Amino acid sequence: MPGLQHNVRLFVDLAELDIQKIDEDLRNEKETTLSLLKEKEKLEKMAGEQKQQLDSMEKIADVLGQVETESSFGTITLDSLANYFSDLERTYGDDYKLYNLFCIACSFALPLFKRAFQGWDPLQNPSHKLDEMLMWKDLSDIWDVSTLYM
């Protein structure tokens, strides 16, 4: 009888160890599942932000392509160029600053300004193109002008 009791106790101890091992494995799996769910949520959020950024970049590129096309055909004006870039600044303010779109606007505007002020006599007509200049002043106000020349 003592041998039987010993064997039963041995089986009970082994079963208890198996249950403890299974319980520990189960807790580890739950922790792993939780951490994987958190990682999944973080990655989904990152993917959403990157998709939004990509969509913004595509829309900005479309507008810049349209500006380039109009510029190459010679149909763009200082007003329409300022409107394009003020819309970009209003809609995509952070990207506008990040990608330095004001400098791109200036590269398109410089030939137009040269043409607009060619032959201008400031003493005869001091308010020549004043409205356009005010639009461009508003566009440039968001920039620290000293950083444009660095």
Side-chain angles (χ1 to χ4, degrees), residues 21-96:
K21 173 84 169 93
I22 290 170
D23 185 52
E24 182 182 339
D25 290 347
L26 182 62
R27 272 189 256 122
N28 288 339
E29 291 297 323
K30 284 181 181 178
E31 289 175 13
T32 302
T33 302
L34 247 151
S35 68
L36 288 174
L37 284 173
K38 288 179 183 177
E39 184 70 19
K40 178 186 173 190
E41 289 172 6
K42 186 175 93 173
L43 291 173
E44 285 174 342
K45 181 181 175 186
M46 253 175 51
E49 290 170 355
Q50 288 179 351
K51 178 167 179 9
Q52 183 179 8
Q53 187 178 19
L54 180 62
D55 290 344
S56 295
M57 288 173 59
E58 286 176 347
K59 290 174 183 172
I60 290 169
D62 289 344
V63 170
L64 292 177
Q66 186 173 355
V67 168
E68 175 67 32
T69 302
E70 287 184 30
S71 179
S72 66
F73 288 130
T75 58
I76 198 157
T77 64
L78 282 170
D79 286 338
S80 63
L81 186 62
N83 287 332
Y84 279 126
F85 281 92
S86 65
D87 288 346
L88 286 175
E89 192 274 327
R90 189 175 37 259
T91 308
Y92 308 104
D94 292 336
D95 292 331
Y96 188 88

